């Protein structure tokens, strides 16, 4: 009885109070007709509360997500199966499924009549705008009687897990000297034999060994050119993701951190498609995902690890070790201070291929953040140490940034390749 009374609405409580008042007046005035009216008025909200309670007991629901993992911006569908096992049909049922703001508005359904033992299906779409491990639910039902005298809230279904992975952009091409046979990579073989290095001719950079000047190319191009012998990219590749909160700007789906995570995911899947063994690490050397011979499942491992990735609170890149562990490195970096750039240069072997994408985080903040590191400063430091560097801006597509990065690795086209002798 106490449970039933707790579900009375304001209308039901007022009607119940009016019934008791009429009963007291009937007793004082000795009016039997008024007493009958009072009894009816008291019984009506109590009966409505009891029927709503019985309907609540016999309700069951199940939730199904299709699919259970979805990229940012793609659509998913939620299916709700309702069933009433009570003796009486259920009516006046208000349903509301709890949905995080990153997935859209909360859906609401009004079920006027739910037949007994007859399943009813409800569907609504989801379109996530932010990556993450999202929880859909619980499903709450508000049961009312036709007169609005009583209502009860009940949880019909718990929470369901939806994995929202980063958006992946399809890239094309590989850095020069990758040894993957991907077309025009700007590298040629100087010597025949097993295990030889690839040779790439590029412009002279400060700090290069003058003994490796390629005089024939220098004479043809009228600028100082050097020969760089590099190992082909048949081994493993490490993708370094800088996810420091301090190094990024913006918020929500358009933040520079979300762009960096999406670009890192695109690189990992692109290299894995060409047979690379990709290892994804954070700025402190922590391994986020490592793909070896696990086939296509490594793509899911990479995407799932990035879906749950949160920003780091480190201030500088100071891992104290080579982040690539001897492998080739592609670093996706936020705002990089000169001290952090020197850390990367200090621990990376000079003869090992190293590429970096520097995000112009000041552009992500609308150009109003004077404290944001200038990417050109880090570009000079890394480029002087032999790194290939590309700068990313919000206005540039990921494919454009990737092409610039491939070009910085030494790709110069077929005419440039013929100059090596």
């Amino acid at each position: 009885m106490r449970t039933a009374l707790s579900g009375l609405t304001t209308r039901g409580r007022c009607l119940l109070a009016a019934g008791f008042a009429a009963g007291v007046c009937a007793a004082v005035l000795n009016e039997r007709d008024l007493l009958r009216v009072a009894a009816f008025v008291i019984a009506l909200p109590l009966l409505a509360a009891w029927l709503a309670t019985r309907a609540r007991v016999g309700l069951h629901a199940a939730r199904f997500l299709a699919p259970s993992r979805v990229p940012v911006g793609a659509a998913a569908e939620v299916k709700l199966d309702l069933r009433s096992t009570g003796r009486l049909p259920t009516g006046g049922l208000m349903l509301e499924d709890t949905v995080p703001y990153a997935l859209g508005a909360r859906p609401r359904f009004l079920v006027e009549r739910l037949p007994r033992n007859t399943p009813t299906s409800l569907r609504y779409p989801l379109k996530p705008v932010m990556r993450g491990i999202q929880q859909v639910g619980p499903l709450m039902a508000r049961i009312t009687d036709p007169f609005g005298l009583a209502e009860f809230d009940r949880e019909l279904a718990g929470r369901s897990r939806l994995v929202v992975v980063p958006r992946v952009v399809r890239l094309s091409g590989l850095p020069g000297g990758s040894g993957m046979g991907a077309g025009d990579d700007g590298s040629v073989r100087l010597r025949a034999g097993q295990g030889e290095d690839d040779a790439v001719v590029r412009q002279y950079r400060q700090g290069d060994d003058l003994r490796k000047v390629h005089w024939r190319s220098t004479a043809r191009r009228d600028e100082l050119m050097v020969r760089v012998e590099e190992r082909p990219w048949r081994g493993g590749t490490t993708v370094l993701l800088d996810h420091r909160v301090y190094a990024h700007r913006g918020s929500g789906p358009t933040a520079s951190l979300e762009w960096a995570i999406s670009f890192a995911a695109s690189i990992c899947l692109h290299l894995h498609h060409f047979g690379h063994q990709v290892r994804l690490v954070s700025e402190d050397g922590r391994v986020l995902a490592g793909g070896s011979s696990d086939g296509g499942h490594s793509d899911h491992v990479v995407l799932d690890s990035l879906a749950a990735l949160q920003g780091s609170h480190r201030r500088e890149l100071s891992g104290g070790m080579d982040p690539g562990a001897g492998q080739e490195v592609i670093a996706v970096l936020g705002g990089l201070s000169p001290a952090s750039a020197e850390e990367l240069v200090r621990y990376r072997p000079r003869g090992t291929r190293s590429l970096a994408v520097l995000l112009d985080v000041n552009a992500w903040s609308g150009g109003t953040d004077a404290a944001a590191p200038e990417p050109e400063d880090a570009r000079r430091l890394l480029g002087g140490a032999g790194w290939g560097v590309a700068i990313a801006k919000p206005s540039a597509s990921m494919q454009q940034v990737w092409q610039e990065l491939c070009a910085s690795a030494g790709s110069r086209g077929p005419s440039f390749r013929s100059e090596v002798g």
Side-chain angles (χ1 to χ4, degrees):
M1 180 59 69
R2 179 177 300 178
T3 303
L5 292 177
S6 65
L8 290 176
T9 62
T10 302
R11 182 185 300 176
R13 295 176 185 274
C14 291
L15 193 61
L16 188 63
F20 280 112
V24 172
C25 293
V28 172
L29 301 176
N30 195 21
E31 289 286 344
R32 293 188 176 183
D33 293 337
L34 183 60
L35 184 60
R36 295 188 185 98
V37 174
F40 175 78
V41 173
I42 293 174
L44 184 60
L46 296 179
L47 180 62
W50 179 80
L51 290 177
T53 304
R54 296 295 297 176
R56 183 183 62 165
V57 172
L59 283 176
H60 303 278
R63 183 191 299 106
F64 303 95
L65 299 179
S68 59
R69 59 193 311 276
V70 62
V72 172
E77 186 180 62
V78 179
K79 178 184 176 184
L80 301 173
D81 286 346
L82 305 177
R83 182 184 294 271
S84 175
T85 58
R87 295 182 178 180
L88 298 174
T90 304
L93 184 64
M94 176 69 74
L95 297 176
E96 181 179 6
D97 208 4
T98 305
V99 174
Y101 76 95
L103 300 180
R106 290 187 176 185
R108 294 181 179 181
F109 304 94
L110 177 60
V111 180
E112 296 182 356
R113 187 175 184 274
L114 188 63
R116 177 174 177 266
N117 290 328
T118 300
T120 300
S121 295
L122 303 173
R123 301 173 186 268
Y124 65 91
L126 293 176
K127 192 170 183 180
V129 297
M130 281 287 293
R131 61 176 181 85
I133 309 298
Q134 305 290 353
Q135 299 292 334
V136 181
L139 175 64
M140 302 300 298
R142 175 164 294 181
I143 306 166
T144 62
D145 68 286
F147 302 104
L149 302 178
E151 63 181 14
F152 295 92
D153 292 333
R154 182 190 174 187
E155 181 179 322
L156 297 184
R159 291 177 172 85
S160 300
R161 185 170 178 262
L162 179 65
V163 181
V164 183
V165 300
R167 182 174 63 95
V168 175
V169 176
R170 186 173 182 178
L171 305 176
S172 61
L174 287 172
S178 61
M180 285 309 213
D184 184 21
D185 60 3
S187 64
V188 298
R189 196 59 63 107
L190 288 182
R191 298 178 300 274
Q194 185 176 4
E196 74 276 19
D197 292 336
D198 283 346
V200 178
V201 178
R202 59 167 172 80
Q203 294 176 343
Y204 173 81
R205 297 172 183 169
Q206 184 178 3
D208 286 339
D209 190 351
L210 292 177
R211 291 174 297 179
K212 293 189 176 183
V213 173
H214 196 270
W215 296 109
R216 181 179 300 180
S217 300
T218 300
R220 291 182 180 181
R221 299 179 65 89
D222 197 23
E223 58 179 328
L224 199 59
M225 309 295 292
V226 295
R227 184 180 68 253
V228 180
E229 296 178 356
E230 298 178 336
R231 295 173 295 178
W233 282 29
R234 291 192 181 93
T237 302
T238 295
V239 177
L240 171 64
L241 174 60
D242 178 13
H243 63 107
R244 295 172 296 147
V245 175
Y246 174 75
H248 291 277
R249 299 295 186 274
S251 60
T254 59
S256 62
L257 176 60
E258 298 302 319
W259 192 98
I261 290 175
S262 179
F263 189 57
S266 302
I267 293 175
C268 289
L269 270 61
H270 178 64
L271 295 181
H272 184 264
H273 173 72
F274 283 95
H276 285 267
Q277 296 181 8
V278 183
R279 191 171 68 106
L280 178 64
V281 302
S282 62
E283 75 283 343
D284 57 355
R286 179 170 56 93
V287 177
L288 302 176
S292 54
S293 60
D294 46 1
H297 296 291
S298 63
D299 293 350
H300 295 306
V301 173
V302 170
L303 292 177
D304 289 348
S305 64
L306 291 177
L309 186 66
Q310 300 296 325
S312 169
H313 294 285
R314 297 172 61 92
R315 297 281 294 185
E316 298 289 346
L317 289 175
S318 56
M321 63 181 69
D322 177 14
Q327 295 181 337
E328 289 84 1
V329 163
I330 301 178
V332 182
L333 306 171
L336 197 66
S337 66
S340 296
E342 291 175 357
E343 285 288 328
L344 286 177
V345 171
R346 180 185 310 170
Y347 293 104
R348 280 294 290 167
R350 189 177 184 87
T352 305
R353 183 187 300 274
S354 303
L355 303 176
V357 175
L358 298 174
L359 272 67
D360 187 359
V361 294
N362 190 30
W364 261 272
S365 65
T368 59
D369 191 352
E374 177 59 45
E376 289 295 341
D377 297 337
R379 185 177 198 168
R380 284 191 292 269
L381 289 172
L382 295 177
W387 285 59
V389 182
I391 294 180
K393 296 180 179 292
S395 57
S397 67
M398 294 186 184
Q399 175 60 28
Q400 290 174 338
V401 176
W402 176 249
Q403 288 177 346
E404 181 183 351
L405 188 66
C406 292
S408 70
S411 177
R412 293 297 186 273
S415 60
F416 180 68
R417 205 172 49 231
S418 62
E419 297 174 356
V420 181

